[in-house]
């Protein structure tokens, strides 16, 4: 019996010694592991993180007026906006705007885009540029987004590139009523006859609601849409808070163009809000490179694969 007890003590003695050594030398080990488990892999919060997570104080809808069959351009523009940094403290939704899908291929293929991206507004109109599409868009927006209205509603073209954070910052301190923002044209003209260039302009939500509620505007739909829009606002006494964005909004210019700088066209600049006249992929590529649109994104492991 005594031999059995001695054997048991000898058997458990090494484990007892290990336990004593562990708790004496590493008394905080369990607390340390518990702390690590609670923290996980999260890094300390930074000031930038706090800003990024702050509640948005401005909401902007930017409608890109385009045609249903312009698939390549839409894919490029969608990608250009998707890779921009998210605007701080702002919601800026970019939506493509087309008229009724009358062609069989458009009905099918645009339908696939809608299912994949959910960023296309289909208006009840016949496709046009200067025969009422802008009116249909602005008059439809208050109804489409009545449950969650925006502070500002913008219209732009598919050859214009907005820097969304710059746009939000430019609008943030502007009035939320009776506002009319964009590039004033013609340059140096009488302000009473100027209007915002169709490259892109923004109005406060109440102005869009006024367009929707004013059927008389349907009698004035033919002609350059940007000029008509300015005329509507003067007639109705709306958009009285006018803000010209020049020189931060302008037409594209590079050394290969036949015409040089003008009051509305100049070289790319760092504090740009919007660039217009990006009529081909090369102009888009140069513009995106200028604003470092490809920097900061994870490189694909499939790029330059060795054979």
């Amino acid at each position: 019996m005594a031999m059995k007890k001695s054997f048991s003590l000898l058997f458990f003695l090494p484990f007892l010694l290990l336990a004593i050594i562990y708790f004496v030398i590493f008394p905080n080990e369990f607390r340390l592991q518990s702390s690590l488990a609670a923290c996980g892999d999260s890094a300390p919060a930074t000031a930038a993180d706090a800003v990024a997570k702050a509640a948005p104080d401005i909401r902007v809808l930017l409608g890109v007026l385009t045609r249903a069959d312009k698939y390549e351009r839409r894919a490029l523009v969608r990608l250009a906006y998707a890779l921009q940094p998210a605007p701080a403290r702002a919601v800026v939704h970019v939506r493509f705007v087309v008229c009724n899908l009358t062609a069989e291929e458009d009905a099918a293929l645009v339908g696939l885009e809608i299912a994949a991206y959910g960023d296309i507004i289909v208006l009840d109109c016949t496709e046009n540029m200067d025969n009422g599409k802008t009116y249909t868009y602005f008059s439809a927006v208050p109804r489409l987004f009545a449950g969650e209205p925006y502070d500002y509603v913008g219209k732009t073209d598919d050859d214009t590139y907005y820097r969304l954070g710059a746009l939000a910052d430019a609008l943030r301190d502007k009035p939320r009523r009776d506002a009319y923002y964009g590039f004033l044209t013609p340059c140096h003209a009488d302000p009473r006859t100027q209007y915002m260039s169709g490259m892109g302009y923004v109005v406060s939500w109440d102005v869009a609601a006024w367009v929707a509620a004013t059927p008389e505007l349907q009698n004035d739909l033919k002609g350059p849409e940007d000029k008509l829009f300015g005329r509507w606002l003067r007639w109705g006494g709306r958009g009285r808070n006018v803000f010209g964005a020049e020189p931060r909004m302008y037409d594209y210019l590079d050394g290969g163009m036949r015409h040089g700088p003008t009051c509305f066209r100049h070289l790319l600049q760092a504090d740009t809000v919007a660039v217009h006249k990006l009529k081909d992929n090369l102009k888009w590529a140069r513009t995106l490179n200028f604003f470092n649109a490809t920097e900061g994104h994870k490189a694909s492991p499939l790029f330059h694969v060795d054979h």
Side-chain angles (χ1 to χ4, degrees):
M1 195 69 164
M3 288 182 65
K4 286 185 178 180
K5 287 183 179 180
S6 299
F7 178 78
S8 298
L9 288 171
L10 288 172
F11 180 79
F12 287 109
L13 185 59
F15 297 101
L16 182 61
L17 289 172
L18 285 173
I20 293 171
I21 292 170
Y22 187 86
F23 283 107
V24 170
I25 298 177
F26 304 108
N28 295 319
E29 179 66 17
F30 284 120
R31 283 199 296 271
L32 177 61
Q33 290 185 0
S34 175
S35 173
L36 289 174
C39 292
D41 296 327
S42 61
T46 65
D49 294 331
V51 171
K53 294 179 181 178
D57 58 9
I58 184 172
R59 287 172 47 82
V60 183
L61 173 66
L62 189 62
V64 180
L65 272 61
T66 185
R67 294 198 321 264
D69 62 353
K70 298 181 74 171
Y71 301 103
E72 181 185 359
R73 174 55 57 86
R74 203 155 46 245
L76 171 59
V77 174
R78 181 183 288 122
L79 184 63
Y81 285 127
L83 293 179
Q84 280 193 27
R89 296 181 296 116
V91 171
V92 183
H93 288 155
V94 178
R95 300 291 181 258
F96 297 97
V97 182
V98 301
C99 285
N100 288 322
L101 306 175
T102 54
E104 180 182 355
E105 62 270 28
D106 291 339
L109 299 180
V110 174
L112 291 177
E113 282 187 85
I114 293 172
Y117 304 108
D119 61 359
I120 298 178
I121 298 172
V122 181
L123 301 175
D124 185 14
C125 58
T126 301
E127 194 58 68
N128 70 91
M129 182 171 66
D130 291 325
N131 196 22
K133 184 175 180 179
T134 296
Y135 167 80
T136 305
Y137 164 63
F138 276 100
S139 60
V141 162
R143 174 178 51 83
L144 291 174
F145 302 100
E148 198 170 5
Y150 293 85
D151 297 303
Y152 297 98
V153 180
K155 172 266 170 188
T156 190
D157 297 332
D158 62 10
D159 64 344
T160 299
Y161 177 61
Y162 267 93
R163 298 176 67 230
L164 302 181
L167 175 63
D169 289 342
L171 294 173
R172 179 168 280 112
D173 63 348
K174 303 294 188 292
R176 302 294 167 95
R177 291 190 62 81
D178 240 359
Y180 186 29
Y181 174 91
F183 179 87
L184 282 167
T185 187
C187 300
H188 314 306
D190 185 337
R192 293 173 296 180
T193 61
Q194 283 182 307
Y195 51 91
M196 298 300 178
S197 167
M199 72 168 76
Y201 50 87
V202 177
V203 295
S204 49
W205 179 264
D206 62 297
V207 174
W210 172 80
V211 172
T214 309
E216 293 89 344
L217 300 180
Q218 297 180 50
N219 299 321
D220 188 19
L221 298 181
K222 292 185 178 181
E225 58 85 18
D226 47 4
K227 189 173 184 178
L228 289 180
F229 197 90
R231 189 160 72 204
W232 298 342
L233 298 190
R234 286 194 299 273
W235 172 79
R238 305 287 171 160
R240 287 168 292 188
N241 295 311
V242 177
F243 301 97
E246 59 281 353
R248 301 183 68 195
M249 292 178 67
Y250 51 92
D251 284 357
Y252 179 92
L253 170 70
D254 68 17
M257 298 179 72
R258 183 162 57 92
H259 300 292
T262 66
C263 62
F264 57 86
R265 180 173 59 233
H266 55 77
L267 293 174
L268 298 169
Q269 62 183 52
D271 66 342
T272 293
V273 170
V275 186
H276 182 223
K277 295 281 187 178
L278 303 179
K279 296 293 186 182
D280 56 54
N281 289 348
L282 180 58
K283 292 182 176 64
W284 273 96
R286 288 174 173 171
T287 299
L288 295 175
N289 282 335
F290 180 86
F291 294 114
N292 299 320
T294 60
E295 289 192 0
H297 301 291
K298 184 178 179 181
S300 169
L302 304 180
F303 192 53
H304 287 206
V305 175
D306 292 329
H307 296 286

